[in-house]
Every structure is written in C-alpha cells, then in structure tokens.
C-alpha cells in the first residue's frame, strides 16, 4: 500500500516500495506486509490478566526481509568536542566526559531512527521476554506514535502482542524492526506501522466483533484480539492458516476464531460485524462484505488493480459512505475476487 509517511504489507515485490516521512508507502496484502522505499472464544486474552508469555529464542524497506537498509553511520564527533570535566580522582587528569556522553547519545538516537535492534537475547526465557518487552516499547515510541497513530487502545495492543512469536524463529531478533518480514508462501508480516494504521482506521473497541480477511501469520488478528471481544479471521492459504492457528493458540488468544477458505464471501453465519479489515486488494469491494457490515461499522480495504486506494467504508442507516485514505499497492485478492466481472 502506498501512504504518506507510512509503510506497507504484502509479498515483497521489488516494485512494492514506498517513501517514508512525506513519501508514498506501499502496502501489499495477501497475508502480510509490503514496504517503503528509502529516499525518492473462551476466556479471551484481552479479558484475562495481561500475563507475560515466555518467549522462546527461536522492518521497512525492501523485498521481504531484504531491502535497502539504512547503512548511514552516525556522524563522527571530534574527540575533543563537548565540555571537559576535570577529574579529581587519583590521576588528576582532564577527561572528555562530555564528548563521551554526546557520542553515546547520538549513537542511541541513530539506532532508534534506523531501526537498529538491541543485541540478541541469549539468556533465560524471562530475560528474553524482558528484552522483547523493551523492544515493543521502543517500537511504539519511535515507529508508531511519531507517524500520527494516537489511539490509546491501538498503542496499548501493539505494546502487548509478542510480535516475535509470529515470525519464523530465526527472525525473532528482527521482529520489531521497521520493516516487513517473510513468513513463507510468498507472504510477509506487515511492518508494525501498517498494522497500526489499518487497526486505527477500523476504530476497534471493547465489545465489538471484527472480521479479518487474510490471516497470514496471525499477528493482525492478535492485535485486534487485544482490543475487541471477538475476532473472526479467514485465510485462503491453508498452510498459513495452520501456522496462524498455532501462533495464536500458543500466545493465548482464545477469542480468535479461524477458517481456511476464500474470504470474498465473508463469514455470513457470524454477521453482522462491527468492523472488517482486508489485507489483499480486490478490483472492487466484495458485495458480501458490505452486506455483513453492521450499521455504524467500518470496512478497511485496499481496492483496485494497477492503481489502488486504501478505502474506509462506513455503513450508515441510509447506506454507505466511502472515504479514500491514500494510494496503496497490495497483492491482489485471489479466488472468487478474480472471477467476478
């Protein structure tokens, strides 16, 4: 999907790139996230005490895990820069403490801006959990809030969902970088910002029932499950659906119900839904999804072919109102969506 100052989801097509900060971002759908281009129900987890889940050791630019990394190094500082502090210790020599502090601060700021992650976690599950918790907090503070996401419910959900548990084990250390990551079958997990953007656009709240089309690895469903009462999600790729089922089960999201199948027709037995999120682009909005939207509900969906728009449709008592958010580029919705005239 392409957004201004955002990032996308999809299969990681080299052409699916976007621009950052006042640029266009690309979102590919089909299961998860695309990226930006550098430069020009049982007891639900939500209702339970937010227990810390043990984490087993197992971002935004480029193709899936690939892409253009920000390799620019932080500016080097003159070793004599900054205020000098006269040591009063046994050596009585002048130290450049001010310069050391300044260099350290620049390094930290550069790391945050470029998505650099803390060192790998090789300790106990508890230590790993603590490290990933800090990474989630850093992700929200440096990737999500600065881009305009302000819904406390959305920010809180992103701060709690263990994203590292939804990526392949070998990529767990990169789970909170500002980019999508591959999850197999040509799909990716969207970078955190895109998940936040689409979630906020749906305006989820406690007590709601939400439908997601395109489960992928289950991360978006988990974020929704932190906020709403019930999540229903459909994945057309059976292998991905099974992976999501395992991920959601192991992380305790019992308020998510899954189905393997074509999402074009929605889930009529459970309709109406207070919100519907779609992560792949059909040429036109599927009529069944509109029919299954409750009055006052919102449908967030990328629509189009070569040219796509991220659209929010709100159902009113009189009909439907449509608002286009930004140009995007998602992978096409497969199945019946491609057969409709």
């Amino acid at each position: 999907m392409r957004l201004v100052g955002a990032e996308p989801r999809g299969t990681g097509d080299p052409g699916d790139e976007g621009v950052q900060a006042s640029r266009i971002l690309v979102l590919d759908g089909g299961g998860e996230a695309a990226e930006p281009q550098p430069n020009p129900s049982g007891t639900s987890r939500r209702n339970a005490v937010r227990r810390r889940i043990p984490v087993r050791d197992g971002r935004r630019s480029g193709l899936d895990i690939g892409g253009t990394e920000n390799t620019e190094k932080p500016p080097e500082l003159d070793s004599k820069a900054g205020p000098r502090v006269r040591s009063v210790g046994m050596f009585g020599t002048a130290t450049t403490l001010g310069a050391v502090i300044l260099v350290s601060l620049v390094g930290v700021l550069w790391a945050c801006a470029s998505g650099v992650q803390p060192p790998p976690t090789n300790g106990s599950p508890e230590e790993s959990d603590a490290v990933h918790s800090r990474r989630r907090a850093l992700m929200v503070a440096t990737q999500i809030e600065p881009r305009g996401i302000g819904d406390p419910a959305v920010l809180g959900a992103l701060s709690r969902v263990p994203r590292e548990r939804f990526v392949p084990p070998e990529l767990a250390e990169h789970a909170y970088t500002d980019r999508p990551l591959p999850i197999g079958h040509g799909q990716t997990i969207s970078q955190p910002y895109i998940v936040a953007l689409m979630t906020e656009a749906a305006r989820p709240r406690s007590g709601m029932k939400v439908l997601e089309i395109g489960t992928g690895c289950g991360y978006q469903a988990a974020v929704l499950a932190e906020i709403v009462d019930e999540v229903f999600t459909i994945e057309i790729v059976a292998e991905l659906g099974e992976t999501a089922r395992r991920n959601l089960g192991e992380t305790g999201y019992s308020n998510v119900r899954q189905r393997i199948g074509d999402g074009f027709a929605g889930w009529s037995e459970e309709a109406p839904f207070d919100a519907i999120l779609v992560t792949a682009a059909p040429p036109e909005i599927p009529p069944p999804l509109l029919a299954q939207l409750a009055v006052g509900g919102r449908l967030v969906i990328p629509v189009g072919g070569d040219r796509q728009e991220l659209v929010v449709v709100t159902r009113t008592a009189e009909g439907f109102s449509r608002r286009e958010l930004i140009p995007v580029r998602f992978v096409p919705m497969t199945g019946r969506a491609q057969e409709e005239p």
Side-chain angles (χ1 to χ4, degrees):
M1 136 191 331
R2 295 192 179 261
L3 328 169
V4 174
E7 303 232 351
R9 158 201 195 286
T11 59
D13 186 304
D16 296 342
E17 298 177 337
V19 198
Q20 232 189 94
S22 68
R23 325 160 192 179
I24 295 179
L25 304 184
V26 180
L27 274 184
D28 287 2
E32 293 305 298
E35 318 188 357
Q37 160 183 341
N39 216 5
S41 280
T43 300
S44 73
R45 174 189 171 91
R46 183 188 63 78
N47 293 324
V49 175
R50 305 294 184 192
R51 67 182 184 281
R52 195 61 67 84
I53 300 171
V55 178
R56 294 190 298 274
D57 287 329
R59 136 199 128 104
R60 153 182 166 140
S61 299
L63 167 62
D64 286 339
I65 188 173
T68 304
E69 298 282 353
N70 183 357
T71 56
E72 179 183 358
K73 296 183 180 296
E76 296 186 0
L77 301 180
D78 189 299
S79 61
K80 296 181 180 181
R84 289 177 174 274
V85 176
R86 176 70 61 179
S87 173
V88 293
M90 61 188 301
F91 298 105
T93 58
T95 64
T96 56
L97 180 58
V100 172
I101 293 175
L102 183 57
V103 170
S104 299
L105 180 59
V106 170
V108 170
L109 293 176
W110 171 76
C112 292
S114 59
V116 173
Q117 292 293 294
T121 59
N122 299 312
S124 66
E126 292 75 16
E127 291 172 334
S128 296
D129 185 51
V131 169
H132 286 304
S133 179
R134 290 194 294 272
R135 288 175 175 173
R136 285 193 289 277
L138 182 63
M139 173 193 76
V140 171
T142 62
Q143 300 175 34
I144 310 303
E145 291 184 288
R147 288 169 173 157
I149 304 300
D151 187 329
V154 175
L155 297 176
L158 289 168
S159 298
R160 292 188 296 270
V161 178
R163 184 175 165 93
E164 71 279 2
R165 300 288 295 275
F166 291 85
V167 301
E170 64 274 16
L171 298 178
E173 295 298 332
H174 304 280
Y176 297 100
T177 50
D178 192 19
R179 62 175 301 172
L181 295 173
I183 57 173
H185 305 282
Q187 301 299 316
T188 63
I189 178 175
S190 301
Q191 61 253 74
Y193 171 72
I194 290 308
V195 175
L197 178 69
M198 297 187 72
T199 303
E200 186 174 64
R203 297 184 183 175
R205 291 293 181 268
S206 176
M208 291 175 60
K209 180 164 66 172
V210 176
L211 173 65
E212 177 195 27
I213 306 300
T215 315
C217 64
Y219 179 68
Q220 172 73 83
V223 171
L224 290 167
E226 284 280 350
I227 305 172
V228 306
D229 281 12
E230 295 180 280
V231 177
F232 295 80
T233 182
I234 305 173
E235 173 57 55
I236 197 169
V237 180
E239 294 85 354
L240 279 179
E242 290 304 318
T243 296
R245 189 185 307 279
R246 182 175 62 254
N247 292 341
L248 290 162
E250 291 178 351
T251 49
Y253 290 100
S254 59
N255 59 331
V256 178
R257 291 179 57 184
Q258 296 176 253
R259 168 183 287 181
I260 304 298
D262 191 335
F264 183 92
W267 199 323
S268 60
E269 310 93 283
E270 297 295 339
F273 297 98
D274 300 300
I276 301 176
L277 280 75
V278 182
T279 60
E284 301 291 340
I285 296 177
L289 299 185
L290 293 174
Q292 293 172 31
L293 197 61
V295 174
R298 295 161 67 88
L299 167 64
V300 182
I301 181 173
V303 180
D306 293 335
R307 295 172 58 88
Q308 301 173 2
E309 292 285 337
L310 183 63
V311 173
V312 176
V313 176
T314 302
R315 185 167 193 171
T316 67
E318 293 74 31
F320 299 90
S321 65
R322 171 171 170 154
R323 181 165 62 97
E324 296 181 345
L325 296 183
I326 49 174
V328 297
R329 186 172 181 181
F330 279 63
V331 295
M333 177 184 283
T334 58
R336 183 177 166 189
Q338 299 303 315
E339 302 169 2
E340 294 292 312

